[in-house]
Amino acid sequence: MAGSVTEVSTNGVVDTQRSSNGSKRRQWTRALKRRIVAETLEPGASVSIVARRHDVNANQVFKWRREMAPKPRAAAKQSVTMLPVEIVPEANEPRPRARRSGVIEITFGCGTRVCLRGEVSPEMLRQVIELLR
């Protein structure tokens, strides 16, 4: 059962540089980072497979993608059209009340019933209730 190999480890073959201070961190060239990120942006590409192919941690590749992504434009740089506004004092005239229509029906415990139609002031309603108690 012979299958085709689609993943190849390039461990030891990758164009990286070891730092001179003796640490084991690899220094990836900017061009190589761009090439690896470009591979991950191809349709159907898997970041983890591309990362394994280049012997890089997938999280590192995601970090490179964020770093190389186009930066969104700052809100201050966007063009905003301002419209002129004039603030005028409110007129002293009272606003006309909306025409209210309806029925209020009150039934007291003693059986007395009061029906109010149309607009009734709160003071008038209070007086009617006081008289009927």
Side-chain angles (χ1 to χ4, degrees):
M1 181 166 136
S4 65
V5 176
T6 59
E7 299 175 31
V8 176
S9 175
T10 57
N11 192 10
V13 185
V14 176
D15 183 21
T16 63
Q17 300 171 350
R18 302 272 181 193
S19 62
S20 60
N21 64 2
S23 83
K24 295 187 177 194
R25 290 181 177 234
R26 292 182 282 185
Q27 301 292 319
W28 299 88
T29 64
R30 186 103 175 120
L32 184 59
K33 289 179 189 179
R34 273 196 295 268
R35 195 168 63 234
I36 292 171
V37 167
E39 282 183 48
T40 67
L41 298 175
E42 293 293 322
S46 165
V47 172
S48 69
I49 291 175
V50 171
R52 273 187 257 137
R53 187 179 315 130
H54 292 280
D55 195 31
V56 181
N57 186 299
N59 291 323
Q60 181 68 59
V61 176
F62 279 115
K63 181 179 180 219
W64 293 343
R65 283 175 55 148
R66 282 191 306 274
E67 290 173 352
M68 293 181 191
K71 305 292 183 242
R73 291 180 54 188
K77 292 182 182 179
Q78 293 178 348
S79 173
V80 176
T81 304
M82 301 295 283
L83 299 175
V85 175
E86 183 180 342
I87 300 174
V88 296
E90 220 178 287
N92 290 336
E93 303 157 7
R95 287 190 247 162
R97 297 177 88 181
R99 181 89 180 140
R100 296 180 189 163
S101 61
V103 177
I104 297 176
E105 192 172 307
I106 303 170
T107 305
F108 292 92
C110 62
T112 307
R113 204 164 101 185
V114 177
C115 291
L116 304 166
R117 288 186 176 79
E119 188 174 346
V120 177
S121 70
E123 181 60 30
M124 179 63 76
L125 181 59
R126 187 188 63 72
Q127 288 176 1
V128 170
I129 292 172
E130 286 296 320
L131 289 172
L132 293 173
R133 280 190 177 186

